[in-house]
Amino acid sequence: MATAKVNTTGDRQPSRWKRNLVLLVLAVAGTALAFSWNSLGAQARVSTAYGARVGCVCRFVSNRDLNSCKGDIAVAGLGRTASLMFLSDDAESKSLTASVPLLASARATYTKERGCQLEPWED
């Protein structure tokens, strides 16, 4: 006859249903992310292009501070990607890069002849 072991040390192990619940929540979240990844990528691509162009004009045409330009983009109504966007400028080449990590990046460069122009997207 089999005997059950009794835990006499007082340590409690997490129950299986809690572990399974956590795994289920992670699986649902992963599935939701997988289904929305393409739309997130497309929204991030458009948002970074907008951010790079507007940021370039703000920074190199209006000669404003980069932090001031970030404020302009934050209120532009770009949805959830605006809060994830990072801006960086290169004063020497007069270019500004907007990026959303792991999703998209765009660069706009200022020239006196053409103003701020986006670099072509790479597919």
Side-chain angles (χ1 to χ4, degrees):
M1 190 154 72
T3 60
K5 289 187 178 181
V6 176
N7 188 354
T8 57
T9 62
D11 295 334
R12 293 191 71 197
Q13 295 180 357
S15 62
R16 286 186 175 173
W17 72 269
K18 288 181 181 178
R19 181 194 65 195
N20 291 341
L21 180 64
V22 168
L23 291 175
L24 178 66
V25 168
L26 289 175
V28 168
T31 302
L33 181 63
F35 278 113
S36 65
W37 190 260
N38 285 338
S39 65
L40 277 174
Q43 184 178 7
R45 181 174 258 189
V46 171
S47 296
T48 55
Y50 177 85
R53 175 72 167 73
V54 169
C56 178
V57 170
C58 173
R59 181 74 178 99
F60 298 112
V61 176
S62 300
N63 291 318
R64 291 172 45 203
D65 184 56
L66 187 60
N67 289 327
S68 169
C69 300
K70 289 178 184 179
D72 290 351
I73 293 168
V75 297
L78 297 175
R80 52 190 163 177
T81 56
S83 62
L84 302 173
M85 190 180 308
F86 293 99
L87 298 179
S88 62
D89 65 338
D90 182 1
E92 187 176 316
S93 66
K94 291 195 174 186
S95 65
L96 188 130
T97 303
S99 62
V100 175
L102 301 175
L103 292 174
S105 177
R107 172 179 276 174
T109 304
Y110 172 77
T111 61
K112 199 168 199 169
E113 299 80 29
R114 295 186 178 177
C116 287
Q117 188 173 15
L118 283 172
E119 292 182 4
W121 283 343
E122 296 178 12
D123 288 332

